[in-house]
Amino acid sequence: EAGVTQFPSHSVIEKGQTVTLRCDPISGHDNLYWYRRVMGKEIKFLLHFVKESKQDESGMPNNRFLAERTGGTYSTLKVQPAELEDSGVYFCASSQIGENEQFFGPGTRLTVL
Amino acid sequence: QKEVEQNSGPLSVPEGAIASLNCTYSDRGSQSFFWYRQYSGKSPELIMFIYSNGDKEDGRFTAQLNKASQYVSLLIRDSQPSDSATYLCAVRRRNYGQNFVFGPGTRLSVLP
């Protein structure tokens, strides 16, 4: 069974540019989560999808971040325009409904110059 | 005060020894507690989770939970060099949905 995959693994962009991160959850997992870890800090929750619906987006830092999960399969997280403080590792995780274990992807390392 | 605190380490133990990793949390409404292991540059992977006060054992790993003291720990018996990694404590709080609050992680180094 394939795990959670994320693309790209690394992205380097300049301040003011736009970046889109993609997450493909484990097949059949209706729960999809985005987290991020900025330099020297702990992993922080961004938002949670159940299928295509946003269940909880309380962790989204501001309106420069837009997450979508059309069709309830893969998800994208767009940052527009990117700022220096957006640099970090963005993790995606998925789980089945009713299950506690969240399976994490390898993360996308975003560097904003 | 951070919601979930861990000693950042590094914690160094000799091969074969018991490694003890500690985590404290501030929200008394926290319901479930998870230990993840993360190798450098890799994704966090779940080791075990615990809901109830007391001990829970899985192979060489034992999770201990004390809700009165708001404390959860992970013991690794017969530590191996392959256990060297960062260990993340994650907490799920009541009424805060399904997301985790993570601690900063403790870096463990098992010396051969």
Side-chain angles (χ1 to χ4, degrees):
Chain A
E1 178 184 276
V4 177
T5 58
Q6 293 186 245
F7 182 83
S9 57
H10 294 84
S11 180
V12 180
I13 61 172
E14 293 187 351
K15 176 183 172 181
Q17 289 186 322
T18 297
V19 64
T20 300
L21 313 181
R22 173 172 169 143
C23 168
D24 285 78
I26 292 172
S27 178
H29 282 196
D30 288 334
N31 286 316
L32 187 149
Y33 307 83
W34 283 99
Y35 295 86
R36 77 171 176 178
R37 185 172 200 161
V38 297
M39 181 70 74
K41 302 284 189 179
E42 60 273 16
I43 297 173
K44 282 195 178 289
F45 167 76
L46 296 177
L47 87 160
H48 169 207
F49 282 100
V50 177
K51 296 185 180 179
E52 68 275 9
S53 299
K54 291 177 185 175
Q55 183 76 15
D56 179 357
E57 51 185 330
S58 61
M60 294 288 264
N62 51 60
N63 59 10
R64 294 186 295 104
F65 289 75
L66 176 64
E68 294 180 324
R69 193 183 182 194
T70 306
T73 54
Y74 71 91
S75 175
T76 58
L77 180 65
K78 181 162 69 174
V79 185
Q80 178 182 31
E83 299 289 345
L84 299 178
E85 63 265 25
D86 300 331
S87 295
V89 181
Y90 289 76
F91 290 102
C92 175
S94 72
S95 69
Q96 292 182 325
I97 298 291
E99 294 294 323
N100 291 295
E101 179 172 4
Q102 294 183 18
F103 295 84
F104 280 77
T108 292
R109 181 174 294 278
L110 175 64
T111 302
V112 183
L113 302 176
Chain B
Q1 181 188 14
K2 290 186 177 180
E3 292 191 63
V4 179
E5 300 208 52
Q6 297 179 255
N7 187 326
S8 61
L11 172 66
S12 295
V13 300
E15 183 174 356
I18 295 175
S20 178
L21 304 161
N22 304 317
C23 172
T24 57
Y25 58 95
S26 60
D27 186 348
R28 283 197 173 273
S30 298
Q31 291 185 302
S32 47
F33 308 86
F34 300 76
W35 282 100
Y36 278 82
R37 176 176 62 197
Q38 186 178 24
Y39 294 109
S40 181
K42 302 294 185 181
S43 54
E45 53 180 339
L46 183 68
I47 299 174
M48 62 193 307
F49 56 86
I50 186 168
Y51 304 129
S52 304
N53 278 327
D55 295 0
K56 179 181 179 182
E57 188 175 315
D58 184 359
R60 295 187 296 115
F61 300 95
T62 299
Q64 300 176 315
L65 175 61
N66 183 326
K67 289 188 177 181
S69 300
Q70 295 174 240
Y71 174 92
V72 59
S73 66
L74 179 70
L75 301 179
I76 307 174
R77 288 182 298 282
D78 188 23
S79 295
Q80 301 298 309
S82 58
D83 294 326
S84 298
T86 296
Y87 289 80
L88 303 168
C89 174
V91 173
R92 179 175 285 150
R93 300 161 298 169
R94 184 174 51 207
N95 300 326
Y96 281 86
Q98 298 296 306
N99 68 80
F100 291 152
V101 178
F102 280 90
T106 297
R107 193 153 51 92
L108 172 67
S109 179
V110 180
L111 307 174

